[in-house]
Amino acid sequence: MRQSLSMNRRIYPILGCLLLLLPVAIHSVDLLSVEPSAGFHIQETDAEASGAVFRQQLLDAAGQQSVHAATLANLPGGGIGAWWFGGSREGGKDVEIWFARYERSSGRFSPARSIMSRHQLASDLGRYIRKLGNPAAFLDRDGRLWLFFVSVSIGGWAGSAVNVMTSDDGGINWSPARRLVTSPFFNISTLVRTPPVLMRDGSLALPAYHEFLGKFAEIITLEADGSIRSKQRLTWGRDALQPALVPTARDQAHIFMRYAGPPPKRMLYASTEDGGRSFSKARKLDLPNWDNSVAAATLTGDPHVWLVYNSSEGSRETLSIAISDENPALSRHIHDFTESGSGGEFSYPAIVTDPQGFHHVAWTHERKNISHAVFNDAWLLQLLSEPAQ
Amino acid sequence: MSLFSVAGWAVTLFVPIWLLAGIWTVSYPVRLSAAALTVAAFFAIELNDLALIGYPRGLLSEPSIGLVAYFLFLLTPRPSRHQSNRFHYAAFLVGILLYPMALGLGAFDPYALGYHPSSALVVAAAAAAAWWCPGLRLIAVWLTSALLAHTFQIGDSDNLFDYILDPVLFSLAAIRVIRRSFTLVVSIHAKH
């Protein structure tokens, strides 16, 4: 009897430790193969030399009473895709994600069609979904479209989770959506607004943010298969939302963030000089930011950064462009898409540069439409050469 | 819905019903039927084109391996109070260190460590040590099963912490730890 008890005492620890051997072996191999960040992939464009080009249009809202938070991405085979959420009101149960395709030949967008509803997402995930929110789209180098978007099962936007689906045929058909697990607390409070950035090793750096107990920005690094490799906090506290990441060199990138803290209301900025391994402490720029989303990009083949942001104090009525010379922290205002005093809302800009070097900007136009502007470097440089406003 | 999610939710629903039914009846067939029928109803009945299980899944995300292991432990014939107490303290300690910082208290995010392979090695070392202490067997089973589940990616998450702990398990552990501490304080006062 004693012998049997003694055997039991020894056999369980031995069996337990044997069970641990496999995970230890697998994770040891993983640990040896962990490599520091490979740096940012810099998009190359086949820019066409031409004079200044600027065109602007409104997209058809497909009969939706309220549309918001557009995102843009290149489409495989040419063209630009625009996605936004629309329904009776922001946060409504009838809100869906809409998609329209811009053809360069016609200079027009296709009629919008819904590609995701809360019922479809609930079916894909097998979970109750209350509402849908911000989308963020991206075309990877294999021609696969990624669409990240926010959903909420309970509460307000602080209860958000991030979902992702992909398309291998330019946005005609989509994979079932799946949920990214990014928070240990019921997987709530992670949101996206701006598109990911491609890294040199094929992984994606997805800017994200929390707005539950804290309001802070993060970078989530995803493997090429969509699994999460790492998560990195950029800020902490209660004042940074919606980071926009813009790489300017293999090891260098800039981050502009929506400021949600107490006055003075100014845009938040951070940068990395080591390919995203570490980021500078976030600080305020001179540019105003009254709790508004920001979009950022570079000139084609030129690391100068330009921004689309709300320049009005206390409202979202003036949507503007600022551009930097050498230091993105010293960007200066050069243009207004919309005039101040209109009383409307022109907000949530998104930018993508097409392979021909044309910049596309989309934004919320009084919550009734999505506006789209297309222009080139020559137009931006023409504005830059004008006296400061 | 992955097999892990189905099994995890089945256990998470079954055990509380089984234990609650034990308050009213000692009949095993009755308790078994009540718990099994509840689980079956959650998976079979649809409301607004969504199985009932979709509602707790939407609100609570997924049960951790820790919660499933603990509930299975409660089903054993004579669950050891000592093992249970130590498990509660350990789960409470992990949660109190993890949740506030992961939700934004301070610049450090401990949850981000759960994506790094070195965390798995630390947990493996802790589990190995626990296996050699007879009083920590439940903790050893908890950490080992969480580590295996994470290694073989049987759930949605890529983060080790999601296999170790969830807010429901943390809440249960916190209630037990607080209650035990309160009882201890009251008994000390009574002695004086």
Side-chain angles (χ1 to χ4, degrees), chain A residues 80-101:
Chain A
I80 297 291
W83 295 259
W84 63 90
F85 71 76
S88 58
R89 62 179 175 86
E90 179 180 342
K93 288 191 169 182
D94 60 349
V95 164
E96 299 181 355
I97 308 282
W98 295 82
F99 166 70
R101 183 188 179 103

Side-chain angles (χ1 to χ4, degrees), chain A residues 12-13 16-17 20 22-24 26-27 31 125-128 153-154 179 181-182 184 186 214 216 227-229 231 233 236, chain B residues 50 54-55 57-58 61-62 99 101-102 104 106-107 109 111-112 115-117 120 124 128 131-132 151-152 156 158 162 167:
Chain A
Y12 288 124
C17 290
L20 290 168
L22 196 56
V24 166
I26 290 171
H27 289 291
L31 191 62
L125 302 180
R127 295 173 198 280
Y128 172 69
S153 291
I154 185 169
R179 208 178 53 133
V181 183
T182 55
F186 300 123
F216 53 90
S227 60
I228 297 177
R229 178 194 292 177
K231 198 157 83 97
R233 192 169 288 181
W236 64 283
Chain B
L50 185 65
Y55 293 86
R57 287 187 82 224
S61 196
E62 299 293 335
Y99 290 122
M101 287 194 279
D109 180 10
Y111 183 67
Y115 294 111
H116 199 271
W131 275 113
W132 291 97
T151 303
F152 296 106
D156 292 344
D158 301 303
D162 292 315

